[in-house]
Amino acid sequence: LATLMTWKTALVDIPYGGGKGGIGINPSDYSKVELERISRKFFRAIDPIIGVNIDIPAPDVNTNAQVMSWFMDEYSQIHGYTPGIVTGKPLELGGSEGREAATGRGTAIITREAAEKWNIGLKGAKVVVQGFGNVGSYAAKFLYEYGCKIIGVSDISGGLYAPDGFDVEELFSYNYENRTIDGYQYGKKITNEELLALECDFLIPAALGSAINEGNVGSLNCKIIIEAANGPVTGEAADKLWKKKIAIIPDILTNAGGVTVSYFEWVQNLQQFKWPEDEINQKLEQKMVAAFNEVYAVKQNKNVPMRIASFMVAIDRVSTAYNLREG
């Protein structure tokens, strides 16, 4: 994951490296007070190896703006008020407009760009979203606004299928309030395996890694896979999909919206100045579209999958930077 982060930040051309770390627990087993104590202990332990120009953590699986608040507060108690030490904070504590929706928004932008290049009409395009957490729910919301038909969604409780499409605004609100799609009144209940096998234009795995693997890749019935999670398609499955001419838009491109707006948040913290949401969304769109076009040009030029093209662009950028620094 740390390595993927290096290539992701290079791909969207922002001045970050790659790092990942966390605590190996299930947060639902603990009270809020216990989570705060565990979090603060962890943050104090890593204090010597982080800094606004060294390593800037951000939220990921099972963490949120509240956890980032504790992080900033713990660091600031030692070093003085330092909002730029962490991103994904609440707006009131120096967070950025648009951060919560950023990864999902970026995913929707990349899906829109892929639709154009693969000649798939976005209006009425059938979309299946595996994982209806922060990324999947926002991606579905923005694609619905683009005119797509979201026909299948799932979370840890199972899947729902509506051949004529969901009212995503209503589903989004239900999920936001209940933190699950379980109990939503519309749609037929289906298993995760059935969800992945639905006939659709875009399949968006937005849950955890290795969701599409050798065991289920044969049952897929989509035109393009949009990797919104980190590493949702295994290498073996990717090889088979390339042979079947099912395109994969890779994670380091698709879900780079989150780290891009984290970068914007960091820049705003350093400047002690806030940008309006429409400006952030506009800057995010520019970054995502530029990265997509760069990767697509390499894909066409070298006749390689989008995943390989993404790594070619990113590795070349890091290599060039190394060479320039070493002289």
Side-chain angles (χ1 to χ4, degrees):
L1 288 174
T3 310
L4 283 175
M5 207 69 201
T6 305
W7 309 130
K8 187 186 298 183
T9 53
L11 186 61
V12 288
D13 199 19
I14 58 178
Y16 280 170
K20 286 277 179 176
I23 307 169
I25 61 167
N26 181 351
S28 61
D29 295 341
Y30 298 84
S31 69
K32 187 177 177 181
V33 172
E34 288 170 325
L35 287 174
E36 180 175 358
R37 282 168 50 205
I38 292 165
S39 300
R40 286 182 181 273
K41 187 88 173 173
F42 175 68
F43 304 150
R44 200 163 276 259
I46 66 169
D47 178 84
I49 58 167
I50 61 172
V52 289
N53 291 309
I54 302 167
D55 194 336
I56 310 108
D60 206 315
V61 176
N62 285 327
T63 52
N64 55 24
Q66 175 62 80
V67 179
M68 299 304 108
S69 303
W70 296 331
F71 199 140
M72 187 200 79
D73 182 63
E74 196 65 26
Y75 189 87
S76 296
Q77 285 181 39
I78 304 167
H79 302 276
Y81 178 62
T82 319
I85 188 56
V86 65
T87 63
K89 302 179 294 296
L91 286 173
E92 297 83 352
L93 293 177
S96 176
E97 297 280 358
R99 175 62 184 88
E100 186 183 348
T103 312
R105 186 182 291 278
T107 299
I109 290 167
I110 291 298
T111 307
R112 183 195 71 202
E113 296 301 302
E116 188 188 325
K117 292 288 193 272
W118 270 265
N119 295 317
I120 298 169
L122 209 55
K123 284 264 188 291
K126 292 180 182 175
V127 179
V128 169
V129 181
Q130 185 218 20
F132 212 70
N134 174 273
V135 180
S137 61
Y138 274 107
K141 179 178 184 286
F142 295 127
L143 287 169
Y144 181 70
E145 288 171 11
Y146 287 161
C148 294
K149 203 190 282 188
I150 316 299
I151 62 165
V153 295
S154 74
D155 66 5
I156 202 161
S157 70
L160 291 173
Y161 171 52
D164 295 327
F166 289 99
D167 178 336
V168 176
E169 285 175 8
E170 192 181 86
L171 176 59
F172 183 90
S173 299
Y174 179 91
N175 180 67
Y176 205 83
E177 282 164 29
N178 298 281
R179 312 315 299 170
T180 180
I181 59 170
D182 194 28
Y184 185 66
Q185 73 240 49
Y186 298 109
K188 177 190 166 197
K189 283 207 142 197
I190 56 172
T191 64
N192 186 55
E193 286 70 33
E194 289 171 321
L195 181 97
L196 291 174
L198 289 174
E199 185 183 344
C200 60
D201 296 299
F202 299 103
L203 173 60
I204 304 181
L208 295 173
S210 305
I212 295 167
N213 49 58
E214 275 197 288
N216 60 19
V217 68
S219 67
L220 298 190
N221 199 3
C222 59
K223 291 176 184 169
I224 300 182
I225 294 170
I226 310 283
E227 287 191 320
N230 286 318
V233 180
T234 65
E236 297 79 18
D239 289 341
K240 290 186 175 173
L241 291 164
W242 173 248
K243 286 173 188 150
K244 286 173 74 175
K245 293 193 165 39
I246 295 176
I248 303 171
I249 313 299
D251 50 2
I252 63 170
L253 174 60
T254 300
N255 67 25
V259 73
T260 301
V261 177
S262 273
Y263 163 65
F264 296 159
E265 181 177 333
W266 177 67
V267 170
Q268 289 170 86
N269 291 156
L270 294 180
Q271 293 178 339
Q272 297 289 309
F273 183 79
K274 288 196 94 150
W275 302 339
E277 187 173 1
D278 59 350
E279 187 176 342
I280 284 158
N281 291 340
Q282 187 185 356
K283 289 178 190 294
L284 172 63
E285 174 126 0
Q286 286 169 346
K287 279 278 187 198
M288 298 301 290
V289 171
F292 181 91
N293 288 337
E294 205 170 351
V295 171
Y296 188 77
V298 171
K299 170 213 169 3
Q300 292 292 84
N301 190 25
K302 304 289 186 186
N303 191 29
V304 292
M306 286 288 281
R307 186 198 286 247
I308 303 293
S310 294
F311 281 104
M312 288 169 76
V313 172
I315 292 169
D316 183 61
R317 197 162 270 150
V318 173
S319 168
T320 301
Y322 259 105
N323 291 335
L324 288 168
R325 289 174 70 161
E326 289 175 357

